[in-house]
Amino acid sequence: MQPGTVRVLGMVVLGAAGMLGVVQAYAATGSSKEDPWIERGRYVVMIGGCNDCHTPGFAEHGGKAKEADLLTGDSLGWRGPWGTTYPPNLRLYFQTITEKEWLKGAKKFMARPPMPFWAVNHMGKGDLRAVYRYVRSLGPSGHPAPEFVPPGQDPKTPYVQFPAPPK
């Protein structure tokens, strides 16, 4: 083999190794840029107040939380005539449904108080898609929230007591 051939082969091997690294990095992230829906979802979740209940300690800490804790549900219950409800772990929930299922189901979604389900019902398709992709991008984390406690039963966790509605 001639000396020039060895140099060319060496450059080809180094170039191929470099390209393999680029391809692997691209495959690991899924794209060269973050999905623009994710940033929109981060915004909608923030202005929609989702973290207020679905992120432990969010309100108490002035709207600050580590990303690892965002939307992981809470064990603080909301008790009223309907029983005691808990904000579910959205990061686990969104791992169980597809984007198509979320887009269809969110328009008919109903929940017990204090969840403002009507706000979700009125979201546009773009905002619903953005919320889904943002929450999914966070990945699964945390544990499921406690189960609903029916009226007349005492919850085993701390709770906020809502007054009965006026008669």
Side-chain angles (χ1 to χ4, degrees):
M1 206 178 275
Q2 297 184 17
T5 306
V6 172
R7 187 175 8 205
V8 169
L9 279 174
M11 289 180 2
V12 168
V13 169
L14 285 174
M19 284 304 293
L20 180 60
V22 169
V23 168
Q24 287 174 331
Y26 178 83
T29 63
S31 70
S32 60
K33 288 198 236 180
E34 188 175 83
D35 180 348
W37 289 109
I38 293 172
E39 202 50 46
R40 174 71 184 171
R42 184 184 329 271
Y43 172 74
V44 172
V45 163
M46 181 59 76
I47 66 163
C50 305
N51 285 304
D52 296 356
C53 294
H54 293 275
T55 298
F58 190 80
E60 297 90 337
H61 293 103
K64 293 181 177 29
K66 295 177 187 169
E67 187 171 272
D69 297 330
L70 295 176
L71 306 173
T72 56
D74 203 344
S75 60
L76 176 65
W78 299 90
R79 189 174 190 199
W82 63 85
T84 306
T85 52
Y86 296 89
N89 182 328
L90 298 180
R91 290 171 68 162
L92 296 180
Y93 171 71
F94 277 99
Q95 302 301 314
T96 68
I97 61 171
T98 65
E99 184 174 315
K100 185 177 179 180
E101 291 168 331
W102 165 247
L103 292 174
K104 182 178 178 185
K107 292 296 186 179
K108 298 180 242 169
F109 168 69
M110 293 190 67
R112 293 180 184 96
M115 175 63 196
F117 63 86
W118 51 89
V120 175
N121 298 156
H122 290 292
M123 281 185 180
K125 188 175 182 179
D127 285 342
L128 290 170
R129 173 174 282 117
V131 167
Y132 178 86
R133 291 192 184 178
Y134 168 61
V135 177
R136 286 281 301 220
S137 78
L138 293 172
S141 184
H143 304 284
E147 292 291 323
F148 165 73
V149 179
Q153 294 184 20
D154 290 329
K156 295 181 177 21
T157 65
Y159 58 87
V160 174
Q161 179 70 51
F162 274 68
K167 292 182 182 185

